Amino acid sequence: MYEFRRCSVPGCEATALSNADSCADHHPDPGAMAASVVESFRDVGLIKNLNVAGLRFEGADLSGKRFYSCSFSRTVLRNMTFTGCTFRMCFFDFSLVDSCDFSGIDAQFCSFAGARFLNASFEHSELVHNNFDGVQASYCTFNYTNLYNSRFIMAEFEKTDFIDCNLKRTFIFPTKETDVSWRLSNTQEAIRDLDRIDQ
Amino acid sequence: MTVFFHYSVHGSANVYLVGNDATREALIIDPAAFTIGLLDFIEGKGYAVKAVLVTHNHAHHVDGLRTLLRIYDAEVYSSNATLGEIPCRMVQDAEEFTVCGIDVKALSVPGHSADSIVYLFDRLLFTGDVLHAGLIGKTMSQYGNRLLKEQLVKKILSLSDDCMVLPGHGPPSTIGAEKLYNLGWKKTRSELNRDHYDLFI
């Protein structure tokens, strides 16, 4: 894991960003920090133990990178390309994901809880054992994706498709579902009833 | 400190390996099963397992213990004096101790089982079965359910929102997300009825 150093600003309990003394809210130049983080990704394939929580990223192509134990919590991701990326134990909680391409990713044991997805693609991905609780997804596609053991508790879907997905052991308890297609997906193997939970 | 996650098909449980990168010592949390794959992984990383932390004595969390202890000379931490015939170093509520050079705080959260303990490593919380992503642990009675909720509110939801929740089953989460999106906080029909009746008392 990344170091859980506290932000250097007195009274702030947030975890400091990697390679910085403060959190994103108290960093003197978070824009420059985000740019330097993206630049540092240029020649490396494996990114481990990185905390960039709360930073804003826009327009970067990070396809094919492997992220292990990284925190993107509360980040703003706009027009980002993560095609074919691998994520293990990464956190995207409460992030805003706008027009990003996550197609063909392999994400396991990650949390996207409370994230807002707008016009994002997760097509042809392995999304096994991930937390999508409370996500608000609009104009998104999860088509042809393996969602084994992932959770969509109190999620909201609007014009979002789950065509031909593997939903075995997927917990689906949405609070809002508008214009959603589950065509060709094994919805009967999904867990949509609390009585079927055996833990 | 490095945390590795291993999905055990035995009970669909999560097994965690926490390694101290400086000493190459490691501890395992809830050995649901101890498989060749897990052994190869530990040996490949060059860790020596020195401790096992058990969240509660249910089969899906301890069944790998006997095999593990045949391979590694590890001390077992639990809220029980023994697990089967295996002696344990008993931990108590709010007890702080150091294992493999890593500071740990144990918090007792009964309800799912009487012996349920969660382990806090700075901002990593290993919750066993008391708290999962979007759900609280199953209980045997309404009393257990109320006890579990009380303990969770008192001891767990008071932690920092960015504290990571690493449960015994299912995907990870954070305290901030669990405060907002956990079905366990929703009132059951009997609780709603009780509120209703209270109006007439």
Side-chain angles (χ1 to χ4, degrees):
Chain A
M1 292 306 295
Y2 52 84
E3 259 186 284
F4 294 109
R5 283 180 296 108
R6 303 293 185 267
C7 174
S8 60
V9 173
C12 181
E13 282 297 304
T15 306
L17 297 166
S18 296
N19 306 315
D21 294 327
S22 58
C23 65
D25 293 341
H26 293 116
H27 195 279
D29 192 350
M33 179 76 192
S36 76
V37 167
V38 172
E39 184 60 29
S40 71
F41 291 164
R42 186 182 294 274
D43 298 318
V44 291
L46 176 62
I47 297 118
K48 284 165 71 175
N49 306 328
L50 182 79
N51 177 24
V52 292
L55 293 179
R56 299 171 73 93
F57 298 93
E58 191 161 350
D61 183 354
L62 303 176
S63 28
K65 307 283 186 198
R66 290 177 294 148
F67 296 91
Y68 292 175
S69 301
C70 296
S71 175
F72 292 87
S73 299
R74 296 182 297 104
T75 52
V76 176
L77 305 172
R78 281 209 162 89
N79 299 312
M80 297 285 288
T81 305
F82 291 96
T83 316
C85 283
T86 301
F87 298 97
R88 294 287 182 274
M89 212 161 125
C90 291
F91 287 77
F92 291 82
D93 301 67
F94 303 104
S95 54
L96 171 63
V97 178
D98 180 9
S99 303
C100 292
D101 187 359
F102 284 86
S103 57
I105 66 165
D106 176 0
Q108 283 184 33
F109 207 65
C110 297
S111 177
F112 296 84
R116 175 87 171 91
F117 296 137
L118 182 64
N119 185 32
S121 171
F122 289 87
E123 285 192 359
H124 295 283
S125 293
E126 287 288 319
L127 301 179
V128 174
H129 223 74
N130 294 301
N131 181 359
F132 292 95
D133 295 349
V135 298
Q136 292 175 282
S138 303
Y139 297 91
C140 294
T141 167
F142 287 81
N143 298 345
Y144 319 111
T145 286
N146 181 8
L147 290 163
Y148 175 79
N149 214 13
S150 286
R151 296 186 180 184
F152 292 86
I153 293 172
M154 294 173 76
E156 297 183 12
F157 307 129
E158 183 189 9
K159 295 189 188 303
T160 292
D161 289 339
F162 293 82
I163 296 169
D164 201 8
C165 292
N166 177 22
L167 301 178
K168 190 177 173 76
R169 288 187 65 83
T170 307
F171 288 51
I172 303 171
F173 296 91
T175 52
K176 180 182 166 190
E177 212 176 324
T178 312
D179 286 342
V180 178
S181 174
W182 301 95
R183 194 161 54 88
L184 302 175
S185 296
N186 52 340
T187 50
Q188 288 184 326
E189 291 193 276
I191 296 171
R192 284 175 165 265
D193 181 352
L194 282 176
D195 290 339
R196 284 194 57 201
I197 298 169
D198 55 3
Q199 287 151 10
Chain B
M1 180 173 71
T2 306
V3 180
F4 300 96
F5 143 80
H6 176 79
Y7 179 66
S8 169
V9 289
H10 179 52
S12 307
N14 298 331
V15 182
Y16 298 98
L17 174 74
V18 181
N20 183 330
D21 299 324
T23 63
R24 306 312 293 174
E25 292 177 334
L27 61 96
I28 284 186
I29 298 169
D30 282 355
F34 199 75
T35 58
I36 288 287
L38 183 54
L39 176 63
D40 285 346
F41 183 81
I42 294 166
E43 292 298 308
K45 295 287 178 191
Y47 287 122
V49 176
K50 295 288 185 187
V52 180
L53 272 58
V54 174
T55 59
H56 63 299
N57 186 13
H58 281 178
H60 292 158
H61 300 268
V62 296
D63 273 359
L65 199 52
R66 280 163 57 103
T67 310
L68 189 155
L69 293 176
R70 283 184 188 142
I71 300 166
Y72 295 106
D73 183 20
E75 188 168 20
V76 181
Y77 292 73
S78 158
S79 64
N80 302 289
T82 57
L83 293 169
E85 74 280 17
I86 299 165
C88 301
R89 149 79 156 86
M90 272 184 84
V91 290
Q92 294 176 342
D93 186 30
E95 184 179 343
E96 295 181 27
F97 54 96
T98 301
V99 56
C100 299
I102 300 166
D103 294 331
V104 184
K105 184 175 184 180
L107 296 166
S108 168
V109 186
H112 172 72
S113 65
D115 64 341
S116 285
I117 284 262
V118 304
Y119 297 102
L120 181 65
F121 293 51
D122 200 341
R123 293 207 167 168
L124 294 175
L125 183 69
F126 296 89
T127 58
D129 277 357
V130 303
L131 182 67
H132 303 141
L135 302 166
I136 63 171
K138 271 204 164 180
T139 52
M140 300 294 285
S141 64
Q142 286 192 30
Y143 167 76
N145 184 265
R146 288 182 70 178
L147 176 66
L148 177 57
K149 284 182 189 173
E150 279 173 18
Q151 296 291 310
L152 285 170
V153 169
K154 185 174 156 192
K155 296 176 182 172
I156 306 301
L157 297 190
S158 55
L159 297 171
S160 169
D161 279 0
D162 63 355
C163 185
M164 296 171 186
V165 174
L166 301 172
H169 301 274
S173 188
T174 56
I175 293 294
E178 291 314 301
K179 282 180 184 171
L180 294 173
Y181 309 119
N182 194 301
L183 293 176
W185 317 135
K186 294 211 164 194
K187 286 195 169 184
T188 61
R189 185 171 297 173
S190 65
E191 285 171 324
L192 288 169
N193 284 341
R194 192 172 50 244
D195 289 350
H196 178 70
Y197 294 137
D198 286 347
L199 292 172
F200 298 97
I201 292 171

